[in-house]
Structure formats: structure tokens, C-alpha cells
Amino acid sequence: MNKKKLLGDLMLILALLFVSLLVFLLVELTRDEGSSVLVTVDGEAVAEYSLFDDGEYSLNDGTNILVISNGCAYLKDASCPDRLCVNQGKISMSGERIVCLPNRVMIEILGVGEDILSN
Amino acid sequence: MNTKKLTTLSLSVALALLLSFIESQIPPFVAVPGIKIGLSNIVTVFLLYTYGWREAGCVSLVRVCLSSLLFGSAVSLLYALSGALLSFITMIALKKLPFFSEMGVSVAGGVFHNAGQIICACIIMENAAISAYLPPLIISGTVAGAVVGIISGILVKKLNGKI
């Protein structure tokens, strides 16, 4: 392979990895303790629950099941074929989110002072 | 277009579709939406270097539409088209520059395919914070793109002139 082109390729790869590091740091450093879970369907906020009220909720007419317990939120079940959202585990810090792309459902942790629906 | 070219391109669509299907059968290791190897990009990059952007674009477009209609849904078509479009434009642009080989072009193709899908998701969900998925997607896109690119490079060298 052409040496000059190989160098170009490597620079590109390094640049991309650098960008991904930047985005990662940006996201991680702006994290905070969560206080509520915001549920959005198709971009519209439909419900908000406190992270400290344990409960199980059926979202979007049952396509996804949200569970809040012990200050964490996660999707227990979903109707999508790959169920990536269910396998994403639990979230509890502000800014963290779990997305179900096929059903266009998203649950997001809001920090103290960011609560939308309760205002 | 002569018959030979027509058949070659049709076979390319079938091949890309097949690669895409095989890929979809592998269970995802990581729970990040959109993570994939992008094997069908081998066909796109190969065509890009052997024929040109029009042929590669046609095959890519047809494959994405068919793949979403057969294995996905209307929404998946939207995500796939955004990814494929952004990826394609980037690959053409990078190919024109003398700095990159098939591997570099393919790496960019893979990464920007994911980026296109994320941007589409941000627009549909009206929330820019989904870009938090970018870091793992960029890394996996780079690795996958490099592998796909190396394979495409070998194919271009071996098959050029014989197709």
C-alpha cells in the first residue's frame, strides 16, 4: 500500500478517535445526580416520574415497560425485535438515557432543577 | 449500459443484500443501537474504486431500500438512508483527495454512516443528547471500516480489469 496514503489513513483514524474522546469527556463531565425520569415518545415528553418513587410503568401503549427501583431506571421489556434498550441496563445519573429507536421511545434522567413537567 | 455491466451491478446488489442479512443475524455484543460491521460496504467501496460513484451510489441506494423493506421497517429505512447518504458523500469526497487509500475511505464511510444514523435519531427524537452514543460508534465504525477497507483494497487489486 502507498506509504503516503497509509499515513493519511492513520491520521484520519487518530482524528476520529480524538473526536470520540472529546465527545465522551464532554458527556461524562457534565453528569450529575439524577432526580427524575423523563419519558419521550417521538420527541414529545409524555410523562415524568421521580427516581425515588419505585414503580413499573407501561409506556407508549405498552411497547416498552419502564421500571424505577432503588434510584435507578431501566426498561424491563420492549416490543422491538432487537431489544437493545432492554439490554442497556440501569441508568441513574442526569443526562443518561436509554433509547428504543424502533419504537421511538426514550427515557432520560433529569437532574435536580431540570424537571420539566412538574414545573 | 451494456448487459455485462447491468448483470454485474445487479449481482452486486444481491451480494450487498446478502452480506447485510448475514450481518443482521449476528447478535449484538454491545447494547449500542446502530453498532454493526458494515460488511455490505465492501461492495460499495469496491464499486466506487472499480467503476465510479454513480454505479456505487445506485447499488447502495437500491440495496438500502430493499434491505429495509425486506428486513426492517419504514423507520429503519429512514435511519438507513441518512446513514448511507452521509457515508456516501463523505466517501466520494475523501476518495477525491490523494491522502487516503481504500481503507481510509472505508473508515470514514463506516463512521459517517453511524453519524448519519445518530443525526437522524436526534432529529426524530428532537433531542441532541443521543449523540452520547457517538464515542463507541466512532470507535466501532473505525475498526469495522478499517477491516472492510482492507478487504475492499485486496478485492480491487485482484479483480480490477477482470470484472
Side-chain angles (χ1 to χ4, degrees), chain A residues 12-65:
Chain A
L12 175 68
I13 291 179
L14 281 176
L16 286 172
L17 291 178
F18 182 66
V19 167
S20 91
L21 187 67
L22 275 181
V23 174
F24 177 72
L25 286 176
L26 199 70
V27 168
E28 283 301 306
L29 292 177
T30 52
R31 283 221 195 289
D32 219 348
E33 285 289 326
S35 84
S36 62
V37 182
L38 181 70
V39 179
T40 31
V41 175
D42 264 330
E44 307 248 341
V46 298
E48 185 180 343
Y49 308 104
S50 163
L51 255 188
F52 310 108
D53 285 336
D54 290 4
E56 188 166 317
Y57 309 95
S58 166
L59 309 176
N60 196 26
D61 289 327
T63 63
N64 299 79
I65 311 284

Side-chain angles (χ1 to χ4, degrees), chain B residues 84-104:
Chain B
L85 191 64
L86 191 60
S87 158
F88 194 63
I89 294 176
T90 317
M91 287 199 285
I92 297 178
L94 284 186
K95 179 169 178 272
K96 288 222 192 286
L97 298 174
F99 309 122
F100 308 107
S101 72
E102 291 91 342
M103 185 175 86

